[in-house]
Amino acid sequence: MRGTTDGNGGPTLLRAVPTGAEARVAALYWEAFGRKLGPALDPPDSGRAFIAEHLHHDRGIVAVHGGEVVGVAGYQLGGRGLTGGDVGDVLAAYGLFRSLPRLAVLALFERTPEPGELVMDGIAVDAGRRGLGIGGRLLTEVTAVAAEHGCHRVRLDVIDVNPRARALYERHGFTAARTERTPYLRTLLGFGAVTTMHRPVTPADARA
Ligand SMILES: CC(C)(COP(=O)(O)OP(=O)(O)OC[C@H]1O[C@@H](n2cnc3c(N)ncnc32)[C@H](O)[C@@H]1OP(=O)(O)O)[C@@H](O)C(=O)NCCC(=O)NCCS
């Protein structure tokens, strides 16, 4: 698979999750979003296995260094996102009784792109490699994918307890479009508001 390098020996970016890297990608996602996904997919081992088993490989950009995935950005486009699995898959994995509250929580995270929109639904960099520019490169690559699919906008959500991620998005051209206050979720999921951010995309953002 052809990748994008930074010319400085940093990670190579790939436009799909390589076969065999599913568990690693699931682990990165879980480490970053376990607090949010836990109520839907706990215990952690089951959650990670569920994510790994239902990945849509072509909906993730991954950063690979020394043969290891060190970062991932997942997105929704054309009706599919990086993390898959429908109601039937949740029922099969967790059984009817344990599935119902999980499906309710997963429904909270359901995001459907509008026409001409790419929705980024998760970005995570290995904890030991944050602050080195990998997240920024993943964002640029996601924007390039959007441009190459003729999208005019990238959309994402950021929670109120993650101001550093929000600062990163703002530096990359995202602006807040609206904030939904969700105080009832603070105890269950650890955040009390979700801000939707937009970044306009032009053909000049395409890589090819
Ligand atoms: C957010 C995240 C993907 C950024 O990746 P990164 O490779 O560290 O990003 P970059 O090196 O390109 O840019 C660094 C900037 O990212 C932001 N950032 C957010 N969380 C950070 C963290 N834990 N460590 C370092 N930078 C972080 C800051 O704006 C930082 O700039 P600063 O050092 O001036 O504050 C990464 O920190 C991460 O995986 N965090 C946990 C998961 C998460 O919060 N995802 C976003 C959900 S909306």
Side-chain angles (χ1 to χ4, degrees):
M1 200 186 302
R2 216 176 97 246
T4 305
T5 60
D6 63 359
N8 291 319
T12 299
L13 299 194
L14 303 177
R15 291 262 179 117
V17 176
T19 305
E22 296 84 357
R24 171 68 179 150
V25 165
L28 279 176
Y29 242 56
W30 193 267
E31 191 195 324
F33 305 116
R35 175 74 180 83
K36 190 166 138 184
L37 294 173
L41 300 176
D42 260 346
D45 283 351
S46 306
R48 281 188 287 262
F50 187 88
I51 293 171
E53 201 177 318
H54 298 99
L55 276 187
H56 292 139
H57 294 70
D58 61 346
R59 291 295 183 261
I61 313 273
V62 295
V64 180
H65 194 74
E68 188 190 36
V69 173
V70 295
V72 58
Y75 59 89
Q76 298 265 350
L77 184 69
R80 291 187 310 130
L82 177 64
T83 51
D86 59 17
V87 172
D89 296 319
V90 175
L91 285 169
Y94 293 95
L96 178 61
F97 181 67
R98 295 170 65 221
S99 288
L100 295 178
R102 292 162 195 274
L103 289 167
V105 174
L106 285 176
L108 287 171
F109 303 132
E110 191 79 34
R111 294 181 211 105
T112 309
E114 289 173 18
E117 196 177 59
L118 177 150
V119 174
M120 196 185 81
D121 47 20
I123 180 167
V125 170
D126 181 272
R129 291 175 186 269
R130 291 180 191 160
L132 300 174
I134 300 171
R137 287 183 61 207
L138 288 168
L139 280 177
T140 302
E141 199 69 11
V142 165
T143 307
V145 169
E148 289 162 32
H149 282 83
C151 296
H152 61 83
R153 180 162 90 187
V154 175
R155 183 178 112 208
L156 57 79
D157 285 343
V158 63
I159 52 179
D160 57 347
V161 291
N162 205 348
R164 290 185 74 185
R166 179 167 173 161
L168 174 67
Y169 300 145
E170 284 171 348
R171 281 201 296 278
H172 281 262
F174 286 84
T175 52
R178 64 178 172 276
T179 295
E180 189 186 345
R181 310 223 167 264
T182 53
Y184 51 94
L185 292 180
R186 200 175 280 286
T187 311
L188 178 66
L189 298 173
F191 59 87
V194 181
T195 297
T196 298
M197 303 185 82
H198 291 159
R199 184 208 189 279
V201 173
T202 70
D205 291 307
R207 197 168 284 289

